[in-house]
Amino acid sequence: MIRWKGQYYWFGEDRTESNDAEKRYVACYSSGDLVHWQFRRQVVALADPEHLGPKWILERPKAFHNSRTGQFVMYAHLDDGSYKAARVAVLVSDRIDGEYKYVKSFRPLGEESRDIGQFIDDDGQAYLIFESRPTKGFFIAKLSDDYLSVEKKVSFLETPLEGGALVHYRGLYYAIGSHLTGWRPNPNVYATASSLSGPWTAFKDIAPPEANTYGSQSSMLLKVVGSKNTAVIYMGDIWRPKTLWDSRYLWMPLEIGDGAIRLPPPGDWTVNVKTGEVDLTE
Ligand code: GAL
């Protein structure tokens, strides 16, 4: 999810059943208010770019806008069917909802990389979050000036977690992640740090563990800065492994502050993107 010229743009794996089985797709939607969404187009329709085999994988696409080059740069998890390649793909487009063309793939910082996450700090600096199985944790890494490569490790959180996401809220960084249980939900956790480079606190549950993150898995933390309030929205995937194209989402405003996060039980809510005010009917 990125904000561009007053609109939110939402990118995601497009697993539509009628898609060409040889290709992998990313869909893009836009919204001015986070409530009403317009389908823009399939911004990626890519054939296997690296001889990864018939079951190759492109997951968790994240698009960034680079103000230096004017380009939109997309990162995605690129893999073979057994998740052994563990690379990131980089694609670029001149328009936010244009066709993203494949540029290259690599292992960021030379490390195996599976789930990726996106973080743009308040100063505009862009980071890639990536899970690294051999080192049992996830990296937060700074992108290069043109965003086409992953330049430098900023932090390594030594806990085996994926679905990593970050938010910078009132002077504190909050990181969330999910345990490694594939498509099955698990109790997602968070840690905090006053600097992105740490030190990070120990991880704690974002919701009662028996709730299993209400059937969802962390994907993104969206900060909505309004005139009256700053809201932070938890965005999670509710996977349906047998019918992945029919998966759903859990989006809920978080209770956040003073070093703690709580994901409330799913319920109806609204957000006013102008004021940042959230109305929750639990
Ligand atoms: C999950 C991961 C998903 C997908 C899935 C495959 O743990 O978050 O993005 O890779 O495993 O089993």
Side-chain angles (χ1 to χ4, degrees):
M1 180 86 64
I2 53 171
R3 193 137 192 256
W4 169 247
K5 295 196 169 162
Q7 294 279 306
Y8 291 92
Y9 287 84
W10 180 17
F11 298 84
E13 299 163 25
D14 181 338
R15 295 175 179 269
T16 307
E17 265 188 293
S18 55
N19 281 346
D20 177 350
E22 307 278 306
K23 293 185 176 173
R24 299 295 174 263
Y25 297 82
V26 174
C28 174
Y29 292 78
S30 66
S31 173
D33 61 7
L34 290 174
V35 177
H36 303 90
W37 290 91
Q38 191 196 346
F39 174 63
R40 310 291 291 212
R41 57 180 295 191
Q42 284 179 328
V43 290
V44 174
L46 183 70
D48 181 352
E50 306 275 5
H51 307 291
L52 297 160
K55 298 209 163 138
W56 72 284
I57 275 150
L58 188 138
E59 290 179 342
R60 297 186 178 259
K62 310 285 181 234
F64 298 84
H65 174 249
N66 187 290
S67 53
R68 288 192 182 87
T69 63
Q71 248 182 351
F72 295 89
V73 180
M74 183 185 288
Y75 277 76
H77 172 196
L78 184 73
D79 227 319
D80 60 274
S82 52
Y83 289 87
K84 295 255 163 51
R87 300 170 79 80
V88 291
V90 177
L91 303 94
V92 296
S93 172
D94 292 338
R95 292 207 341 253
I96 192 161
D97 60 353
E99 187 191 346
Y100 284 72
K101 296 253 198 263
Y102 184 77
V103 179
K104 60 180 173 181
S105 80
F106 56 87
R107 283 186 168 176
L109 311 175
E111 304 284 353
E112 290 189 17
S113 166
R114 293 186 175 83
D115 277 5
I116 60 163
Q118 159 177 50
F119 177 59
I120 301 165
D121 208 343
D122 297 337
D123 61 4
Q125 181 60 55
Y127 300 87
L128 186 76
I129 302 162
F130 62 95
E131 188 255 327
S132 160
R133 210 60 56 98
T135 59
K136 298 190 170 62
F138 66 88
F139 285 89
I140 301 169
K142 190 171 164 284
L143 298 184
S144 61
D145 282 354
D146 60 8
Y147 291 2
L148 297 177
S149 47
V150 175
E151 195 172 85
K152 183 169 151 259
K153 172 185 127 179
V154 174
S155 223
F156 174 69
L157 283 79
E158 205 184 334
T159 304
L161 293 170
E162 58 187 6
L166 281 168
V167 70
H168 190 180
Y169 180 79
R170 292 197 183 153
L172 211 56
Y173 292 91
Y174 294 75
I176 66 165
S178 136
H179 302 286
L180 313 179
T181 59
W183 301 117
R184 282 181 300 110
N186 58 62
N188 290 191
V189 289
Y190 74 94
T192 64
S194 50
S195 157
L196 209 46
S197 55
W200 291 87
T201 64
F203 279 91
K204 295 188 197 115
D205 292 317
I206 66 168
E210 61 278 11
N212 253 347
T213 322
Y214 306 106
S216 71
Q217 181 191 19
S218 56
S219 172
M220 178 104 204
L221 294 172
L222 181 71
K223 184 158 86 166
V224 178
V225 182
S227 55
K228 294 194 183 144
N229 183 46
T230 296
V232 177
I233 300 168
Y234 164 89
M235 299 181 153
D237 292 296
I238 301 177
W239 301 112
R240 292 186 176 169
K242 293 200 178 105
T243 51
L244 275 173
W245 58 88
D246 200 25
S247 296
R248 301 300 157 100
Y249 311 95
L250 176 64
W251 290 3
M252 284 300 288
L254 285 172
E255 287 168 22
I256 182 169
D258 300 324
I261 274 183
R262 178 179 168 262
L263 175 66
D268 292 339
W269 59 281
T270 58
V271 61
N272 180 325
V273 295
K274 294 208 170 65
T275 65
E277 288 168 309
V278 159
D279 192 7
L280 196 68
T281 42
E282 249 184 72

